[in-house]
Amino acid sequence: MGWQYRVEPSADPVTVGNVRWLSGYRHPRCAGGVRPGALVEAFTYPRPLAEGAAALGDVIQTLPAVYHGLWSGKLTASLDRPLTAGTLVAVAGRKAR
């Protein structure tokens, strides 16, 4: 029949955990805690996640918007390490290490 199969390497559990966490913030309502364009301004240069969220306003209100930005691809961060307050976040297209 010409069928083939391949065994994919198992996904990194840290990356899977981070993506699972961020997926909880995929709904557009999560982005409502900050004014349009504020995420880009706050993370124009790579900075720690908590620092950028605090620069946007009340962290309780702005963290969901930061997580939504990471989920939607507006922001970027290394997801192969645990996502913490110190994780460097930047605007997509800029290197965050």
Side-chain angles (χ1 to χ4, degrees):
M1 300 191 87
W3 288 29
Q4 295 181 1
Y5 73 93
R6 64 179 179 198
V7 177
E8 291 289 327
S10 59
D12 174 43
V14 173
T15 302
V16 170
N18 285 334
V19 171
R20 186 172 289 136
W21 173 261
L22 293 174
S23 73
Y25 296 91
R26 67 182 169 256
H27 196 281
R29 72 174 167 259
C30 296
V34 299
R35 66 177 171 72
L39 281 178
V40 173
E41 292 172 13
F43 293 101
T44 297
Y45 298 101
R47 69 193 308 184
L49 187 146
E51 183 183 309
L56 290 166
D58 178 24
V59 175
I60 299 298
Q61 292 180 332
T62 60
L63 266 178
V66 173
Y67 291 144
H68 179 77
L70 286 166
W71 173 261
S72 66
K74 292 178 185 168
L75 301 176
T76 187
S78 176
L79 297 180
D80 59 351
R81 296 185 188 134
L83 194 58
T84 67
T87 300
L88 289 182
V89 177
V91 173
R94 295 211 166 104
K95 195 79 166 170
R97 294 181 186 225

